[in-house]
Short mmCIF file of all heavy atoms in Angstrom, two decimals:
data_model
loop_
_atom_site.label_atom_id
_atom_site.label_comp_id
_atom_site.label_asym_id
_atom_site.label_seq_id
_atom_site.Cartn_x
_atom_site.Cartn_y
_atom_site.Cartn_z
N GLU A 1080 -5.87 -16.84 -6.76
CA GLU A 1080 -6.41 -18.19 -7.11
C GLU A 1080 -7.93 -18.04 -7.40
O GLU A 1080 -8.44 -18.52 -8.42
CB GLU A 1080 -6.19 -19.15 -5.99
CG GLU A 1080 -6.52 -20.59 -6.18
CD GLU A 1080 -6.51 -21.38 -4.90
OE1 GLU A 1080 -5.52 -21.16 -4.09
OE2 GLU A 1080 -7.37 -22.20 -4.72
N ASN A 1081 -8.68 -17.30 -6.51
CA ASN A 1081 -10.12 -17.15 -6.68
C ASN A 1081 -10.36 -16.29 -7.90
O ASN A 1081 -11.32 -16.57 -8.72
CB ASN A 1081 -10.65 -16.42 -5.44
CG ASN A 1081 -10.79 -17.33 -4.24
OD1 ASN A 1081 -10.51 -18.51 -4.33
ND2 ASN A 1081 -11.24 -16.78 -3.15
N ALA A 1082 -9.58 -15.20 -8.20
CA ALA A 1082 -9.83 -14.31 -9.27
C ALA A 1082 -9.67 -15.06 -10.53
O ALA A 1082 -10.47 -14.84 -11.51
CB ALA A 1082 -8.95 -13.09 -9.18
N LEU A 1083 -8.67 -15.92 -10.64
CA LEU A 1083 -8.45 -16.62 -11.97
C LEU A 1083 -9.60 -17.55 -12.27
O LEU A 1083 -10.06 -17.62 -13.37
CB LEU A 1083 -7.10 -17.40 -11.90
CG LEU A 1083 -6.77 -18.25 -13.05
CD1 LEU A 1083 -6.54 -17.35 -14.32
CD2 LEU A 1083 -5.49 -19.07 -12.87
N LYS A 1084 -10.12 -18.18 -11.16
CA LYS A 1084 -11.30 -19.06 -11.38
C LYS A 1084 -12.50 -18.29 -11.84
O LYS A 1084 -13.22 -18.66 -12.73
CB LYS A 1084 -11.63 -19.82 -10.10
CG LYS A 1084 -10.68 -20.94 -9.87
CD LYS A 1084 -11.03 -21.78 -8.64
CE LYS A 1084 -9.99 -22.80 -8.34
NZ LYS A 1084 -9.89 -23.16 -6.91
N VAL A 1085 -12.73 -17.11 -11.20
CA VAL A 1085 -13.87 -16.23 -11.67
C VAL A 1085 -13.65 -15.81 -13.09
O VAL A 1085 -14.64 -15.83 -13.85
CB VAL A 1085 -13.96 -15.00 -10.62
CG1 VAL A 1085 -14.98 -13.96 -11.32
CG2 VAL A 1085 -14.45 -15.45 -9.35
N ALA A 1086 -12.41 -15.34 -13.45
CA ALA A 1086 -12.09 -14.94 -14.74
C ALA A 1086 -12.38 -16.11 -15.81
O ALA A 1086 -13.00 -15.81 -16.90
CB ALA A 1086 -10.72 -14.47 -14.85
N GLN A 1087 -12.03 -17.20 -15.43
CA GLN A 1087 -12.24 -18.39 -16.38
C GLN A 1087 -13.72 -18.72 -16.55
O GLN A 1087 -14.22 -18.99 -17.68
CB GLN A 1087 -11.46 -19.60 -15.87
CG GLN A 1087 -9.99 -19.48 -16.12
CD GLN A 1087 -9.18 -20.50 -15.34
OE1 GLN A 1087 -9.67 -21.08 -14.35
NE2 GLN A 1087 -7.93 -20.71 -15.75
N PHE A 1088 -14.45 -18.57 -15.40
CA PHE A 1088 -15.89 -18.81 -15.48
C PHE A 1088 -16.60 -17.74 -16.40
O PHE A 1088 -17.35 -18.03 -17.28
CB PHE A 1088 -16.53 -18.73 -14.08
CG PHE A 1088 -17.98 -18.43 -14.09
CD1 PHE A 1088 -18.96 -19.29 -14.41
CD2 PHE A 1088 -18.44 -17.07 -13.75
CE1 PHE A 1088 -20.28 -18.98 -14.43
CE2 PHE A 1088 -19.78 -16.75 -13.82
CZ PHE A 1088 -20.66 -17.65 -14.17
N LEU A 1089 -16.19 -16.46 -16.21
CA LEU A 1089 -16.79 -15.37 -16.91
C LEU A 1089 -16.44 -15.48 -18.46
O LEU A 1089 -17.31 -15.25 -19.31
CB LEU A 1089 -16.33 -14.02 -16.40
CG LEU A 1089 -16.84 -13.63 -15.05
CD1 LEU A 1089 -16.13 -12.45 -14.49
CD2 LEU A 1089 -18.35 -13.32 -15.09
N GLU A 1090 -15.24 -15.90 -18.73
CA GLU A 1090 -14.77 -15.93 -20.08
C GLU A 1090 -15.69 -16.94 -20.85
O GLU A 1090 -15.90 -16.83 -22.13
CB GLU A 1090 -13.35 -16.30 -20.19
CG GLU A 1090 -12.71 -16.13 -21.61
CD GLU A 1090 -11.27 -15.93 -21.57
OE1 GLU A 1090 -10.59 -16.80 -21.05
OE2 GLU A 1090 -10.76 -14.92 -22.16
N ALA A 1091 -16.16 -17.93 -20.16
CA ALA A 1091 -17.00 -19.01 -20.85
C ALA A 1091 -18.45 -18.67 -20.88
O ALA A 1091 -19.29 -19.46 -21.32
CB ALA A 1091 -16.70 -20.36 -20.13
N HIS A 1092 -18.79 -17.51 -20.29
CA HIS A 1092 -20.28 -17.27 -20.13
C HIS A 1092 -20.81 -16.51 -21.34
O HIS A 1092 -20.24 -15.52 -21.77
CB HIS A 1092 -20.51 -16.40 -18.83
CG HIS A 1092 -21.89 -16.43 -18.38
ND1 HIS A 1092 -22.88 -15.76 -19.04
CD2 HIS A 1092 -22.45 -17.01 -17.35
CE1 HIS A 1092 -24.03 -15.94 -18.38
NE2 HIS A 1092 -23.81 -16.82 -17.37
N PRO A 1093 -21.95 -16.97 -21.85
CA PRO A 1093 -22.54 -16.37 -23.11
C PRO A 1093 -22.92 -14.88 -22.93
O PRO A 1093 -23.06 -14.14 -23.94
CB PRO A 1093 -23.72 -17.29 -23.45
CG PRO A 1093 -23.99 -18.01 -22.27
CD PRO A 1093 -22.73 -18.09 -21.48
N ALA A 1094 -23.25 -14.40 -21.74
CA ALA A 1094 -23.72 -13.04 -21.52
C ALA A 1094 -22.54 -12.02 -21.36
O ALA A 1094 -22.81 -10.81 -21.26
CB ALA A 1094 -24.55 -12.96 -20.28
N VAL A 1095 -21.33 -12.56 -21.47
CA VAL A 1095 -20.16 -11.77 -21.33
C VAL A 1095 -19.35 -11.55 -22.68
O VAL A 1095 -19.09 -12.53 -23.35
CB VAL A 1095 -19.16 -12.38 -20.26
CG1 VAL A 1095 -17.89 -11.60 -20.24
CG2 VAL A 1095 -19.91 -12.43 -18.92
N ASN A 1096 -19.20 -10.34 -23.03
CA ASN A 1096 -18.47 -9.92 -24.27
C ASN A 1096 -16.97 -10.31 -24.19
O ASN A 1096 -16.44 -10.92 -25.07
CB ASN A 1096 -18.60 -8.49 -24.62
CG ASN A 1096 -19.70 -8.21 -25.59
OD1 ASN A 1096 -20.13 -9.07 -26.25
ND2 ASN A 1096 -20.20 -7.01 -25.49
N PHE A 1097 -16.35 -9.76 -23.11
CA PHE A 1097 -14.90 -10.10 -22.97
C PHE A 1097 -14.51 -10.01 -21.45
O PHE A 1097 -15.31 -9.36 -20.69
CB PHE A 1097 -14.02 -9.17 -23.81
CG PHE A 1097 -14.13 -7.69 -23.37
CD1 PHE A 1097 -13.34 -7.23 -22.31
CD2 PHE A 1097 -14.88 -6.83 -24.06
CE1 PHE A 1097 -13.43 -5.91 -21.97
CE2 PHE A 1097 -14.97 -5.48 -23.73
CZ PHE A 1097 -14.25 -5.00 -22.63
N VAL A 1098 -13.44 -10.57 -21.11
CA VAL A 1098 -12.88 -10.52 -19.73
C VAL A 1098 -11.53 -10.05 -19.78
O VAL A 1098 -10.73 -10.39 -20.75
CB VAL A 1098 -12.86 -11.94 -19.14
CG1 VAL A 1098 -12.33 -11.87 -17.69
CG2 VAL A 1098 -14.28 -12.51 -19.12
N LYS A 1099 -11.16 -9.11 -18.92
CA LYS A 1099 -9.75 -8.59 -18.85
C LYS A 1099 -9.18 -9.13 -17.50
O LYS A 1099 -9.57 -8.63 -16.43
CB LYS A 1099 -9.67 -7.17 -18.86
CG LYS A 1099 -9.94 -6.58 -20.32
CD LYS A 1099 -8.76 -6.30 -21.16
CE LYS A 1099 -8.02 -5.05 -20.74
NZ LYS A 1099 -8.80 -3.85 -21.00
N TYR A 1100 -8.21 -10.09 -17.49
CA TYR A 1100 -7.56 -10.48 -16.30
C TYR A 1100 -6.15 -10.78 -16.75
O TYR A 1100 -5.84 -11.55 -17.68
CB TYR A 1100 -8.24 -11.77 -15.69
CG TYR A 1100 -7.58 -12.20 -14.43
CD1 TYR A 1100 -7.66 -11.39 -13.28
CD2 TYR A 1100 -6.70 -13.31 -14.37
CE1 TYR A 1100 -7.03 -11.79 -12.10
CE2 TYR A 1100 -6.11 -13.70 -13.14
CZ TYR A 1100 -6.19 -12.88 -12.04
OH TYR A 1100 -5.55 -13.20 -10.92
N PRO A 1101 -5.10 -10.18 -16.08
CA PRO A 1101 -3.78 -10.26 -16.57
C PRO A 1101 -3.16 -11.69 -16.89
O PRO A 1101 -2.39 -11.87 -17.80
CB PRO A 1101 -2.92 -9.66 -15.44
CG PRO A 1101 -3.94 -8.62 -14.82
CD PRO A 1101 -5.28 -9.36 -14.87
N PHE A 1102 -3.65 -12.63 -16.10
CA PHE A 1102 -3.13 -13.94 -16.31
C PHE A 1102 -4.05 -14.88 -17.12
O PHE A 1102 -3.86 -16.11 -17.04
CB PHE A 1102 -2.72 -14.60 -14.91
CG PHE A 1102 -1.30 -14.28 -14.50
CD1 PHE A 1102 -0.72 -13.15 -14.79
CD2 PHE A 1102 -0.51 -15.34 -13.85
CE1 PHE A 1102 0.56 -12.82 -14.35
CE2 PHE A 1102 0.79 -15.02 -13.42
CZ PHE A 1102 1.34 -13.77 -13.73
N LEU A 1103 -4.99 -14.29 -17.79
CA LEU A 1103 -5.77 -15.08 -18.87
C LEU A 1103 -4.97 -14.88 -20.20
O LEU A 1103 -4.63 -13.68 -20.55
CB LEU A 1103 -7.16 -14.56 -19.07
CG LEU A 1103 -8.28 -14.96 -18.11
CD1 LEU A 1103 -9.56 -14.40 -18.60
CD2 LEU A 1103 -8.34 -16.47 -17.92
N PRO A 1104 -4.69 -15.96 -20.91
CA PRO A 1104 -3.90 -15.82 -22.18
C PRO A 1104 -4.64 -14.84 -23.16
O PRO A 1104 -3.96 -14.30 -24.08
CB PRO A 1104 -3.89 -17.20 -22.72
CG PRO A 1104 -4.02 -18.11 -21.52
CD PRO A 1104 -4.87 -17.36 -20.52
N SER A 1105 -5.94 -14.55 -22.94
CA SER A 1105 -6.61 -13.70 -23.88
C SER A 1105 -6.31 -12.24 -23.56
O SER A 1105 -6.68 -11.35 -24.37
CB SER A 1105 -8.13 -13.89 -23.75
OG SER A 1105 -8.52 -13.73 -22.45
N HIS A 1106 -5.68 -11.88 -22.43
CA HIS A 1106 -5.38 -10.52 -22.09
C HIS A 1106 -4.31 -9.98 -23.09
O HIS A 1106 -3.37 -10.55 -23.36
CB HIS A 1106 -4.80 -10.41 -20.65
CG HIS A 1106 -4.70 -9.05 -20.18
ND1 HIS A 1106 -3.74 -8.12 -20.57
CD2 HIS A 1106 -5.48 -8.35 -19.25
CE1 HIS A 1106 -3.96 -6.94 -20.01
NE2 HIS A 1106 -4.95 -7.06 -19.18
N PRO A 1107 -4.63 -8.75 -23.65
CA PRO A 1107 -3.75 -8.25 -24.68
C PRO A 1107 -2.21 -8.07 -24.20
O PRO A 1107 -1.35 -8.11 -25.11
CB PRO A 1107 -4.33 -6.83 -25.01
CG PRO A 1107 -5.61 -6.77 -24.31
CD PRO A 1107 -5.75 -7.90 -23.30
N GLN A 1108 -2.04 -7.88 -22.96
CA GLN A 1108 -0.63 -7.84 -22.48
C GLN A 1108 -0.27 -8.94 -21.57
O GLN A 1108 0.56 -8.84 -20.63
CB GLN A 1108 -0.43 -6.49 -21.75
CG GLN A 1108 -0.54 -5.18 -22.61
CD GLN A 1108 -1.92 -4.58 -22.42
OE1 GLN A 1108 -2.66 -4.81 -21.49
NE2 GLN A 1108 -2.27 -3.66 -23.36
N TYR A 1109 -0.79 -10.17 -21.95
CA TYR A 1109 -0.54 -11.34 -21.13
C TYR A 1109 0.98 -11.63 -20.90
O TYR A 1109 1.48 -11.86 -19.82
CB TYR A 1109 -1.18 -12.46 -21.79
CG TYR A 1109 -0.93 -13.89 -21.20
CD1 TYR A 1109 -1.42 -14.24 -20.04
CD2 TYR A 1109 -0.11 -14.84 -21.96
CE1 TYR A 1109 -1.13 -15.52 -19.50
CE2 TYR A 1109 0.10 -16.09 -21.48
CZ TYR A 1109 -0.43 -16.43 -20.25
OH TYR A 1109 -0.22 -17.66 -19.70
N GLU A 1110 1.77 -11.52 -22.05
CA GLU A 1110 3.22 -11.84 -21.91
C GLU A 1110 3.92 -10.86 -20.97
O GLU A 1110 4.78 -11.26 -20.14
CB GLU A 1110 3.83 -11.83 -23.28
CG GLU A 1110 3.38 -12.81 -24.26
CD GLU A 1110 3.65 -14.25 -23.75
OE1 GLU A 1110 4.62 -14.45 -22.94
OE2 GLU A 1110 2.85 -15.19 -24.12
N VAL A 1111 3.51 -9.59 -21.10
CA VAL A 1111 4.14 -8.53 -20.22
C VAL A 1111 3.75 -8.83 -18.81
O VAL A 1111 4.59 -8.73 -17.81
CB VAL A 1111 3.74 -7.12 -20.61
CG1 VAL A 1111 4.39 -6.07 -19.74
CG2 VAL A 1111 4.08 -6.85 -22.10
N ALA A 1112 2.47 -9.12 -18.51
CA ALA A 1112 2.03 -9.44 -17.16
C ALA A 1112 2.81 -10.64 -16.59
O ALA A 1112 3.29 -10.56 -15.47
CB ALA A 1112 0.50 -9.76 -17.18
N LYS A 1113 3.05 -11.68 -17.37
CA LYS A 1113 3.76 -12.86 -16.91
C LYS A 1113 5.19 -12.47 -16.60
O LYS A 1113 5.79 -13.02 -15.71
CB LYS A 1113 3.80 -13.92 -18.05
CG LYS A 1113 2.51 -14.66 -18.09
CD LYS A 1113 2.56 -15.90 -17.27
CE LYS A 1113 1.28 -16.72 -17.37
NZ LYS A 1113 1.32 -17.85 -16.44
N LYS A 1114 5.74 -11.47 -17.39
CA LYS A 1114 7.12 -11.10 -17.13
C LYS A 1114 7.30 -10.36 -15.80
O LYS A 1114 8.27 -10.51 -15.17
CB LYS A 1114 7.59 -10.26 -18.30
CG LYS A 1114 9.04 -9.70 -18.15
CD LYS A 1114 9.47 -8.85 -19.41
CE LYS A 1114 8.97 -7.43 -19.26
NZ LYS A 1114 9.45 -6.49 -20.24
N GLN A 1115 6.33 -9.46 -15.51
CA GLN A 1115 6.58 -8.56 -14.44
C GLN A 1115 5.75 -8.82 -13.14
O GLN A 1115 5.97 -8.25 -12.14
CB GLN A 1115 6.44 -7.08 -14.82
CG GLN A 1115 5.06 -6.65 -15.34
CD GLN A 1115 5.07 -5.37 -16.02
OE1 GLN A 1115 6.09 -4.98 -16.75
NE2 GLN A 1115 3.95 -4.58 -16.03
N MET A 1116 4.85 -9.73 -13.28
CA MET A 1116 3.95 -10.05 -12.08
C MET A 1116 4.03 -11.54 -11.62
O MET A 1116 4.19 -12.46 -12.56
CB MET A 1116 2.47 -9.80 -12.44
CG MET A 1116 2.18 -8.32 -12.66
SD MET A 1116 0.43 -8.08 -13.11
CE MET A 1116 -0.33 -8.22 -11.47
N ARG A 1117 3.99 -11.75 -10.36
CA ARG A 1117 3.99 -13.14 -9.82
C ARG A 1117 2.74 -13.86 -10.13
O ARG A 1117 2.75 -15.11 -10.49
CB ARG A 1117 4.30 -13.05 -8.36
CG ARG A 1117 4.55 -14.39 -7.62
CD ARG A 1117 4.36 -14.22 -6.08
NE ARG A 1117 5.30 -13.37 -5.43
CZ ARG A 1117 6.32 -13.84 -4.72
NH1 ARG A 1117 6.41 -15.12 -4.48
NH2 ARG A 1117 7.11 -13.02 -4.09
N LEU A 1118 1.62 -13.22 -9.95
CA LEU A 1118 0.28 -13.76 -10.21
C LEU A 1118 -0.59 -12.64 -10.80
O LEU A 1118 -0.09 -11.48 -10.85
CB LEU A 1118 -0.37 -14.31 -8.92
CG LEU A 1118 0.37 -15.55 -8.32
CD1 LEU A 1118 -0.19 -15.76 -6.86
CD2 LEU A 1118 0.03 -16.80 -9.11
N GLY A 1119 -1.80 -12.88 -11.17
CA GLY A 1119 -2.54 -11.92 -11.87
C GLY A 1119 -3.27 -10.86 -11.04
O GLY A 1119 -3.98 -10.03 -11.66
N GLY A 1120 -3.26 -10.94 -9.74
CA GLY A 1120 -4.02 -9.94 -8.92
C GLY A 1120 -5.44 -10.33 -8.68
O GLY A 1120 -5.85 -11.47 -9.05
N ASN A 1121 -6.22 -9.53 -8.01
CA ASN A 1121 -7.56 -9.89 -7.65
C ASN A 1121 -8.66 -9.12 -8.36
O ASN A 1121 -9.87 -9.25 -8.04
CB ASN A 1121 -7.73 -9.74 -6.10
CG ASN A 1121 -8.12 -8.29 -5.74
OD1 ASN A 1121 -7.54 -7.41 -6.24
ND2 ASN A 1121 -9.09 -8.13 -4.79
N ILE A 1122 -8.24 -8.25 -9.35
CA ILE A 1122 -9.30 -7.52 -10.04
C ILE A 1122 -9.57 -8.12 -11.42
O ILE A 1122 -8.66 -8.33 -12.21
CB ILE A 1122 -8.81 -6.04 -10.26
CG1 ILE A 1122 -8.31 -5.37 -8.97
CG2 ILE A 1122 -9.83 -5.19 -10.88
CD1 ILE A 1122 -9.34 -5.20 -7.88
N VAL A 1123 -10.77 -8.41 -11.61
CA VAL A 1123 -11.30 -8.94 -12.91
C VAL A 1123 -12.22 -7.97 -13.52
O VAL A 1123 -13.22 -7.55 -12.88
CB VAL A 1123 -11.97 -10.25 -12.73
CG1 VAL A 1123 -12.45 -10.81 -14.11
CG2 VAL A 1123 -11.06 -11.27 -12.03
N ALA A 1124 -11.90 -7.41 -14.76
CA ALA A 1124 -12.90 -6.59 -15.48
C ALA A 1124 -13.56 -7.38 -16.53
O ALA A 1124 -12.86 -8.21 -17.14
CB ALA A 1124 -12.17 -5.36 -15.97
N PHE A 1125 -14.77 -7.15 -16.75
CA PHE A 1125 -15.53 -7.90 -17.79
C PHE A 1125 -16.66 -6.95 -18.35
O PHE A 1125 -17.19 -6.18 -17.69
CB PHE A 1125 -16.02 -9.22 -17.35
CG PHE A 1125 -17.02 -9.27 -16.13
CD1 PHE A 1125 -18.37 -9.32 -16.36
CD2 PHE A 1125 -16.53 -9.10 -14.89
CE1 PHE A 1125 -19.27 -9.32 -15.28
CE2 PHE A 1125 -17.35 -9.14 -13.77
CZ PHE A 1125 -18.72 -9.27 -14.02
N GLU A 1126 -16.99 -7.31 -19.64
CA GLU A 1126 -18.07 -6.50 -20.23
C GLU A 1126 -19.28 -7.35 -20.46
O GLU A 1126 -19.24 -8.37 -21.11
CB GLU A 1126 -17.61 -5.84 -21.53
CG GLU A 1126 -18.64 -4.74 -21.85
CD GLU A 1126 -18.59 -4.34 -23.32
OE1 GLU A 1126 -18.45 -5.20 -24.22
OE2 GLU A 1126 -18.57 -3.12 -23.56
N ILE A 1127 -20.43 -6.91 -19.86
CA ILE A 1127 -21.63 -7.58 -20.09
C ILE A 1127 -22.30 -7.13 -21.34
O ILE A 1127 -22.22 -5.96 -21.72
CB ILE A 1127 -22.57 -7.23 -18.89
CG1 ILE A 1127 -21.87 -7.58 -17.56
CG2 ILE A 1127 -23.95 -8.01 -19.03
CD1 ILE A 1127 -22.83 -7.37 -16.46
N LYS A 1128 -22.86 -8.00 -22.05
CA LYS A 1128 -23.57 -7.72 -23.26
C LYS A 1128 -24.81 -6.81 -22.94
O LYS A 1128 -25.50 -7.12 -21.99
CB LYS A 1128 -24.01 -8.86 -24.11
CG LYS A 1128 -22.83 -9.71 -24.68
CD LYS A 1128 -23.27 -10.93 -25.44
CE LYS A 1128 -22.07 -11.65 -25.98
NZ LYS A 1128 -22.35 -13.07 -26.29
N GLY A 1129 -25.06 -5.73 -23.62
CA GLY A 1129 -26.32 -5.04 -23.40
C GLY A 1129 -26.07 -3.68 -22.84
O GLY A 1129 -27.03 -2.97 -22.50
N GLY A 1130 -24.78 -3.22 -22.72
CA GLY A 1130 -24.53 -1.83 -22.34
C GLY A 1130 -24.90 -1.39 -20.97
O GLY A 1130 -24.95 -2.23 -20.04
N ILE A 1131 -25.14 -0.09 -20.77
CA ILE A 1131 -25.32 0.52 -19.40
C ILE A 1131 -26.48 -0.14 -18.71
O ILE A 1131 -26.37 -0.47 -17.57
CB ILE A 1131 -25.60 2.07 -19.56
CG1 ILE A 1131 -24.35 2.73 -20.19
CG2 ILE A 1131 -26.01 2.67 -18.28
CD1 ILE A 1131 -23.89 4.01 -19.55
N GLU A 1132 -27.53 -0.40 -19.39
CA GLU A 1132 -28.78 -0.96 -18.77
C GLU A 1132 -28.49 -2.33 -18.20
O GLU A 1132 -28.87 -2.66 -17.11
CB GLU A 1132 -29.94 -0.97 -19.78
CG GLU A 1132 -31.20 -0.34 -19.29
CD GLU A 1132 -31.19 0.31 -17.90
OE1 GLU A 1132 -30.73 1.52 -17.73
OE2 GLU A 1132 -31.61 -0.33 -16.90
N ALA A 1133 -27.79 -3.14 -19.01
CA ALA A 1133 -27.47 -4.48 -18.64
C ALA A 1133 -26.48 -4.44 -17.48
O ALA A 1133 -26.59 -5.31 -16.49
CB ALA A 1133 -26.71 -5.29 -19.73
N GLY A 1134 -25.58 -3.45 -17.34
CA GLY A 1134 -24.68 -3.32 -16.24
C GLY A 1134 -25.45 -3.02 -14.96
O GLY A 1134 -25.22 -3.60 -13.90
N ARG A 1135 -26.39 -2.07 -15.01
CA ARG A 1135 -27.20 -1.68 -13.88
C ARG A 1135 -28.10 -2.86 -13.36
O ARG A 1135 -28.18 -3.06 -12.20
CB ARG A 1135 -28.13 -0.54 -14.23
CG ARG A 1135 -27.39 0.78 -14.35
CD ARG A 1135 -28.20 1.84 -15.01
NE ARG A 1135 -29.46 2.00 -14.28
CZ ARG A 1135 -29.62 2.80 -13.18
NH1 ARG A 1135 -28.60 3.54 -12.75
NH2 ARG A 1135 -30.79 2.82 -12.62
N LYS A 1136 -28.58 -3.60 -14.36
CA LYS A 1136 -29.47 -4.73 -13.95
C LYS A 1136 -28.71 -5.77 -13.27
O LYS A 1136 -29.12 -6.42 -12.23
CB LYS A 1136 -30.10 -5.35 -15.32
CG LYS A 1136 -31.46 -5.85 -15.10
CD LYS A 1136 -32.25 -5.74 -16.44
CE LYS A 1136 -32.65 -7.09 -16.94
NZ LYS A 1136 -32.97 -7.20 -18.37
N PHE A 1137 -27.46 -6.02 -13.80
CA PHE A 1137 -26.53 -7.03 -13.16
C PHE A 1137 -26.27 -6.57 -11.65
O PHE A 1137 -26.38 -7.47 -10.81
CB PHE A 1137 -25.18 -7.03 -13.95
CG PHE A 1137 -24.11 -7.82 -13.31
CD1 PHE A 1137 -24.12 -9.18 -13.38
CD2 PHE A 1137 -23.14 -7.14 -12.64
CE1 PHE A 1137 -23.08 -9.89 -12.78
CE2 PHE A 1137 -22.12 -7.77 -11.94
CZ PHE A 1137 -22.05 -9.24 -12.08
#
Side-chain angles (χ1 to χ4, degrees):
E1080 186 189 320
N1081 286 357
L1083 181 60
K1084 285 184 185 155
V1085 169
Q1087 286 164 341
F1088 157 75
L1089 290 167
E1090 192 156 56
H1092 198 287
V1095 173
N1096 264 337
F1097 65 81
V1098 179
K1099 287 263 283 297
Y1100 184 70
F1102 270 37
L1103 278 185
S1105 58
H1106 191 288
Q1108 296 100 14
Y1109 173 70
E1110 293 302 330
V1111 180
K1113 281 271 181 181
K1114 177 180 80 170
Q1115 63 195 28
M1116 296 176 76
R1117 188 198 291 255
L1118 294 164
N1121 84 315
I1122 309 293
V1123 182
F1125 58 100
E1126 198 199 42
I1127 303 181
K1128 290 181 183 161
I1131 296 227
E1132 232 3 82
R1135 288 168 52 87
K1136 216 152 117 199
F1137 170 80

